[in-house]
Amino acid sequence: MNIITNKSIWLSTLIKVVATLLFCNLIINHSNDKPYYNYDSIPYVASAKYIETKDYESSHNYSYNLLKEKAPQFYEGLCCSGAYRNSMSSDYEAFASHMPAYQIKSFYVQLIRITSDSLGVDEYRAINLISLGSVLGIVLVFAGFFFQVNIFGFLSVFGVLVLSQVLHLAKLMTPDALSSFVFLCSVVLILRNLKIAGFFLLVLALLIRPSN
């Protein structure tokens, strides 16, 4: 009887681990397949570049030139569709006047800079990797938190995550994924009576996305 029970436990554990790895692989493939370039990624890239250059004009030119190189199919829409975007792409001073709204997310901007420099990738790729890593973190936190439930309950977690749009979140070039991951970790820590660490992460989440 004990042997059968042990085999059942091992089989359940194996299924849970394999399911988690397969879901993570799905997220990685989805994130790397045509990353979602959005307008906000441009000033985030410029803000990260500004840490290095301390020059608004060169940071502005760099972010738009890199976008044109990385995603020429989206360039016209992101730089020139509408009066606002057209003025941002053509006038670096107007662009610079809006950068503080992005630079205030200091932890996120610093992380873009560190990721880019450490891995030797450009800033757009760094943003993509941060979103991807954050969503993988979310998946692992959920998997760990619900690992002890029965196999059907555990597998249903992945359905909930899909319905929560985590696949799309992994492609976004915004701080949303990182902010969600840090907030989730803070909630888990507080629930486990690690309140100081939990509240510390809540404060950190504000440096990632003050509008949380």
Side-chain angles (χ1 to χ4, degrees), residues 100-117:
Y102 297 86
Q103 291 170 315
I104 194 173
K105 301 162 187 177
S106 54
F107 181 84
Y108 182 63
V109 173
Q110 287 285 350
L111 187 58
I112 296 170
R113 181 75 272 141
I114 292 170
T115 303
S116 176
D117 293 341

Side-chain angles (χ1 to χ4, degrees), residues 30 43 117 129 147 167 179:
H30 189 76
D117 293 341
L129 289 174
F147 200 79
L167 292 176
S179 175

Side-chain angles (χ1 to χ4, degrees), residues 36-166:
Y36 182 77
Y37 289 87
N38 52 295
Y39 172 77
D40 284 338
S41 65
I42 303 171
Y44 282 128
V45 167
S47 297
K49 190 65 177 178
Y50 182 79
I51 296 174
E52 184 181 275
T53 65
K54 303 300 181 186
D55 181 77
Y56 283 115
E57 183 174 11
S58 62
S59 299
H60 168 268
N61 293 336
Y62 174 84
S63 61
Y64 278 98
N65 289 335
L66 183 60
L67 174 66
K68 191 172 186 178
E69 176 187 328
K70 294 276 295 183
Q73 69 274 32
F74 300 119
Y75 182 77
E76 286 299 321
L78 293 175
C79 86
C80 310
S81 60
Y84 173 77
R85 292 187 179 184
N86 190 53
S87 67
M88 292 297 103
S89 63
S90 61
D91 185 351
Y92 87 87
E93 291 182 336
F95 183 82
S97 69
H98 286 78
M99 277 181 60
Y102 297 86
Q103 291 170 315
I104 194 173
K105 301 162 187 177
S106 54
F107 181 84
Y108 182 63
V109 173
Q110 287 285 350
L111 187 58
I112 296 170
R113 181 75 272 141
I114 292 170
T115 303
S116 176
D117 293 341
S118 300
L119 300 181
V121 297
D122 64 75
E123 290 81 359
Y124 285 106
R125 179 57 177 161
I127 294 174
N128 179 238
L129 289 174
I130 291 169
S131 292
L132 171 59
S134 299
V135 170
L136 291 176
I138 290 172
V139 172
L140 294 178
V141 169
F142 269 97
F145 194 81
F146 292 99
F147 200 79
Q148 299 304 320
V149 304
N150 66 64
I151 187 67
F152 298 106
F154 180 82
L155 293 177
S156 68
V157 169
F158 300 116
V160 172
L161 288 172
V162 170
L163 292 175
S164 300
Q165 299 293 313
V166 294

